[in-house]
Amino acid sequence: EKGTYPHYMLKETDEQPLVIRKIIQKYQDEQGNLAIDQEIVDAVNGSDRIYIVACGTSYHAGLVGKQLIEKMAGIPVEVHVASEFGYNLPLLPEKPLFIFISQSGETADSRAVLVAVKELGHKALTITNVPGSTLSREADYTLLLHAGPEIAVASTKAYTAQIAVLSILADVVAKTRGRADNLNLVKELGIVANAMEVLCDSKEEMDYIAREYLSFTRNCFFIGRGMDFYVGLEGALKLKEISYIQAEGFAGGELKHGTIALIEEGTPVIALATQENVNLSIRGNVKEVAARGANPCIISMKGLDMEEDRFVIPAVHELLTPLVSVVPMQLIAYYAALHRDCDVDKPRNLAKSVTVE
Ligand code: F6R
């Protein structure tokens, strides 16, 4: 089933452009407009606050989802790690809607929260890759990812599929609220799929970056602001889980409040710069770490790029940048793990589906 691929992770990373196109197709009506079941749209519109609950990579997709739903549809969203939420329920508004994001649909921590909020009488929507999974069956509504089976323990195409589906949900709801903002999401997601293809063809460069920055290091930092911060968190998780390098994602501005003490001569710092409003400030943060000896690797987006950048991603709509900026993160983690002779598809201590609390 891996075909010519040495690992499922590489195959699944490469499948991402196809998955985006499949999602567009699955969520289009006969007229070619994006569509979501009316009862789901009504549930979103009827809620005064959305709670996204998830774990790991799916939680990172939820952070992006918050931005999409708030900026596009104008509904406030909170994002919570399931294992924390379950024991410390926040003060809820009158009409909360819960969105569970789970590739497998079987994650016990997320299920525990679903059971608790159902008991309180609240509505829940599950976004999952697996039809008929526990979280899908037990929620009121389901949106499917259509990503095809994800076999590698490290999640790749499920993350981008989750963000794509969240963007469609945000867009469809936005239109019912007269907040279309002239965004042609079908077209923009098409541009994303094309950009992903270019990135999947950039494996040699990613291999070089991994070799140059990560072959011998003990640790690595990922920094960014806004969307780039969220993708940095995901980049760090990918790197630590498959290469066992201690990696942390940080908000660029937060470094100087403590973490910058960890920067030593040669510490790799991967910085993402895809957001116009913070382009100069994240570059300022790069200068701060470089002045303390760090080895910065700036990955930017076309149009915001500068001479010192190590790699430039093709331009996409600024709300959709995580869909493309995560691809270099996935590939850099993959090659770093290969260079360190790690078992990419089955990292130590981890299981694909975490069905215990
Ligand atoms: C990381 C990874 C995990 C999962 C997490 C949630 O690569 O795969 O962090 O994202 O265990 O799993 P799901 O999405 O199945 O609920």
Side-chain angles (χ1 to χ4, degrees):
E1 245 217 89
K2 274 186 292 199
T4 55
Y5 284 97
H7 298 99
Y8 280 109
M9 185 185 173
L10 197 62
K11 173 172 178 270
E12 290 162 4
T13 300
D14 259 5
E15 282 169 358
Q16 292 178 110
L18 251 161
V19 170
I20 297 298
R21 293 193 182 103
K22 173 99 176 272
I23 289 171
I24 298 172
Q25 192 197 336
K26 288 283 182 182
Y27 282 94
Q28 261 172 335
D29 64 13
E30 275 145 37
Q31 285 78 47
N33 298 317
L34 291 171
I36 299 264
D37 281 351
Q38 193 57 42
E39 55 171 9
I40 298 179
V41 175
D42 291 345
V44 174
N45 271 326
S47 80
D48 47 6
R49 186 173 286 256
I50 293 172
Y51 290 80
I52 295 181
V53 179
C55 309
T57 290
S58 298
Y59 168 74
H60 294 155
L63 294 172
V64 175
K66 171 191 160 76
Q67 296 293 322
L68 295 173
I69 295 170
E70 290 196 339
K71 297 215 163 100
M72 293 164 74
I75 304 168
V77 182
E78 291 182 19
V79 195
H80 293 267
V81 166
S83 58
E84 281 298 307
F85 193 94
Y87 293 99
N88 291 291
L89 233 59
L91 198 54
L92 297 172
E94 248 173 66
K95 293 174 288 176
L97 172 71
F98 287 84
I99 300 184
F100 293 88
I101 307 180
S102 176
Q103 188 285 130
S104 64
E106 301 297 342
T107 301
D109 287 322
S110 301
R111 175 163 186 249
V113 179
L114 172 60
V115 170
V117 301
K118 290 302 298 170
E119 253 164 37
L120 293 171
H122 300 309
K123 294 278 184 218
L125 157 69
T126 291
I127 299 181
T128 182
N129 202 23
V130 183
S133 57
T134 306
L135 282 163
S136 167
R137 280 185 281 112
E138 295 182 354
D140 301 275
Y141 322 103
T142 296
L143 290 174
L144 291 175
L145 298 178
H146 301 290
E150 193 180 64
I151 312 275
V153 164
S155 183
T156 52
K157 62 178 178 175
Y159 171 84
T160 41
Q162 286 161 349
I163 293 172
V165 169
L166 285 160
S167 75
I168 292 172
L169 178 63
D171 182 64
V172 171
V173 171
K175 294 214 162 82
T176 66
R177 303 180 144 227
R179 291 177 56 107
D181 284 349
N182 294 327
L183 174 74
N184 181 343
L185 190 61
V186 172
K187 181 178 143 228
E188 298 298 342
L189 285 174
I191 294 171
V192 162
N194 293 341
M196 280 175 157
E197 244 152 37
V198 172
L199 295 168
C200 289
D201 285 340
S202 308
K203 293 193 183 68
E204 223 166 285
E205 281 106 310
M206 297 306 142
D207 190 351
Y208 279 137
I209 291 176
R211 210 180 282 278
E212 183 182 328
Y213 288 86
L214 302 171
S215 283
F216 303 106
T217 191
R218 230 167 16 101
N219 57 5
C220 175
F221 294 96
F222 290 78
I223 64 170
R225 287 172 176 244
M227 291 290 203
D228 292 335
F229 166 41
Y230 305 146
V231 176
L233 292 174
E234 174 58 7
L237 179 60
K238 284 287 88 82
L239 187 64
K240 56 190 147 187
E241 70 176 326
I242 61 171
S243 77
Y244 316 139
I245 295 170
Q246 181 162 23
E248 299 303 333
F250 278 97
E254 189 63 14
L255 278 177
K256 59 181 173 296
H257 298 290
T259 311
I260 202 163
L262 291 172
I263 301 292
E264 296 175 338
E265 197 57 42
T267 303
V269 175
I270 298 178
L272 281 168
T274 74
Q275 302 294 304
E276 191 173 11
N277 65 331
V278 290
N279 194 27
L280 293 180
S281 43
I282 192 63
R283 288 167 187 283
N285 298 137
V286 169
K287 288 201 180 78
E288 288 158 13
V289 291
R292 288 156 181 89
N295 185 15
C297 172
I298 304 177
I299 298 183
S300 65
M301 203 174 66
K302 189 89 198 139
L304 303 176
D305 55 307
M306 295 186 185
E307 215 183 298
E308 68 262 27
D309 299 354
R310 186 67 171 74
F311 187 80
V312 181
I313 295 169
V316 300
H317 190 283
E318 84 173 344
L319 286 173
L320 302 178
T321 57
L323 291 168
V324 290
S325 58
V326 78
V327 179
M329 305 294 103
Q330 296 164 341
L331 288 170
I332 289 170
Y334 174 79
Y335 287 109
L338 271 195
H339 297 156
R340 290 173 167 244
D341 281 327
C342 298
D343 187 347
V344 171
D345 281 342
K346 284 198 171 40
R348 68 186 182 206
N349 309 344
L350 291 170
K352 180 65 185 162
S353 167
V354 186
T355 52
V356 290
E357 267 187 68

